[in-house]
Amino acid sequence: MKKTFLPLLAFSFLALSFILSKNVTTVFVNTPGVEVSSSSESGGRLRTGNVELENNVWGLKGDGYSYKIFTKEDKTFGWEWRTPGGQDGSVKMYLQAIIGHKPFFHYTIGKGFPFIPKELKSMKVHFKYEGSYQGRRNLAFEFWTVDEYHGDNEYINTRKDGSKNIIGEYMFWMQASYGMPIKHENVEIDGRKWNVAAGDPGHTYVAFMPANGDIKEATIDFKPFMDWLIANNYLKDTDKVISLELGNEVIEGTGKTLIKDYSVTIEK
């Protein structure tokens, strides 16, 4: 058994007991003395320990947008945004926190990735957030899968032969002010009911949306979700899971999210 524990916002040192256990890695991401910082640049990134924040503004259309990622002195982090009026229904940005190897990066953040689902015993995420919003947006986790993994210091969105390497994109909405067409309704996974959307934007795309309202604080195990995806032919147990992201997909409006508690434990 190998367990990687990533308390991305660690407010106590109780987890130090993990250091004494065999085959367990403990990483404290936000440690005392972290400098307060922010970025309002397109594509701007901030590293806070073993999590990286990004102004992922891939869908902007025109001018008049503002956005910012930030870390705070109390070891929390987050992001805020404002869009101009008259927006269409497409996603404009995904302001986010990243661990692992995002397919469009040439480096790895933190530990525990990549892995294949058949090797995984659990991937438990604990989170708590506060937010104020107007307009259309969600708050969602996301993980990607690829066919080939070239290494920790290489781009992995394409194969060595230049063809597309991304084979799956899986999102887990914790809250939203809009919806998507439902393909599977009231699916019970990890003690909650979810509505599931699916599509094919050039790769497998699946989004889980909570059927009974927003989730603002929880511990969620993503292993049962992977089991469901495998059973329903949306994922193979040998696909390479390369990252975990958390952020707001924004269509239009204003908002601010503060991540108050965030930890990831991967057990293989």
Side-chain angles (χ1 to χ4, degrees):
M1 178 187 76
K2 183 178 180 182
K3 182 182 290 185
T4 302
F5 181 62
L6 294 143
L8 304 179
L9 283 175
F11 295 110
S12 76
F13 289 88
L14 295 177
L16 280 174
S17 60
F18 284 105
I19 296 175
L20 304 178
S21 302
K22 187 177 181 181
N23 296 325
V24 174
T25 302
T26 302
V27 179
F28 289 95
V29 174
N30 282 335
T31 54
V34 169
E35 183 179 356
V36 174
S37 56
S38 66
S39 172
S40 299
E41 297 180 1
S42 173
R45 301 173 190 174
L46 295 175
R47 181 70 66 93
T48 173
N50 282 329
V51 64
E52 186 156 292
L53 310 182
E54 182 191 15
N55 283 322
N56 180 4
V57 292
W58 61 275
L60 300 191
K61 297 180 178 180
D63 300 321
Y65 298 88
S66 64
Y67 39 83
K68 181 176 74 172
I69 50 176
F70 59 85
T71 64
K72 298 185 72 174
E73 191 173 20
D74 62 1
K75 298 176 285 184
T76 60
F77 60 78
W79 39 83
E80 57 188 70
W81 66 87
R82 179 180 297 274
T83 72
Q87 298 295 299
D88 63 17
S90 64
V91 173
K92 309 304 185 304
M93 61 186 84
Y94 183 36
L95 306 181
Q96 60 182 158
I98 306 156
I99 60 172
H101 194 150
K102 187 175 178 177
F104 312 103
F105 288 4
H106 66 283
Y107 54 88
T108 297
I109 304 155
K111 300 181 180 181
F113 296 90
F115 61 79
I116 59 176
K118 71 178 181 180
E119 294 178 344
L120 187 70
K121 291 187 176 180
S122 66
M123 185 170 77
K124 293 182 180 180
V125 175
H126 176 74
F127 71 97
K128 179 181 180 179
Y129 74 93
E130 293 180 353
S132 58
Y133 311 109
Q134 291 183 339
R136 290 177 289 171
R137 87 285 137 191
N138 66 22
L139 180 76
F141 291 94
E142 176 177 57
F143 70 78
W144 299 86
T145 60
V146 296
D147 184 36
E148 297 178 359
Y149 189 76
H150 312 323
D152 291 348
N153 299 310
E154 297 188 38
Y155 291 102
I156 52 176
N157 57 321
T158 58
R159 296 181 174 91
K160 287 296 187 181
D161 65 7
S163 61
K164 184 175 179 178
N165 193 31
I166 295 170
I167 54 178
E169 179 184 5
Y170 307 92
M171 302 201 75
F172 308 85
W173 297 15
M174 299 297 107
Q175 56 98 326
S177 59
Y178 65 99
M180 296 177 67
I182 302 302
K183 188 168 184 179
H184 307 275
E185 191 171 2
N186 286 322
V187 176
E188 188 164 348
I189 305 174
D190 196 36
R192 292 182 173 84
K193 289 187 177 181
W194 306 82
N195 295 323
V196 185
D200 183 7
H203 54 261
T204 299
Y205 173 86
V206 181
F208 294 84
M209 295 165 283
N212 296 314
D214 296 350
I215 303 171
K216 301 195 73 171
E217 180 179 6
T219 299
I220 295 177
D221 187 356
F222 286 104
K223 171 61 172 173
F225 290 89
M226 294 183 197
D227 293 341
W228 185 91
L229 289 164
I230 292 167
N232 287 273
N233 299 313
Y234 292 116
L235 177 70
K236 294 180 180 178
D237 64 5
T238 55
D239 290 346
K240 298 172 180 64
V241 180
I242 56 173
S243 63
L244 182 67
E245 303 168 28
L246 169 63
N248 286 102
E249 286 188 309
V250 177
I251 294 177
E252 56 85 22
T254 63
K256 182 175 182 179
T257 294
L258 180 67
I259 307 298
K260 303 188 72 175
D261 197 5
Y262 186 27
S263 66
V264 179
T265 304
I266 298 171
E267 184 177 356
K268 302 176 185 177

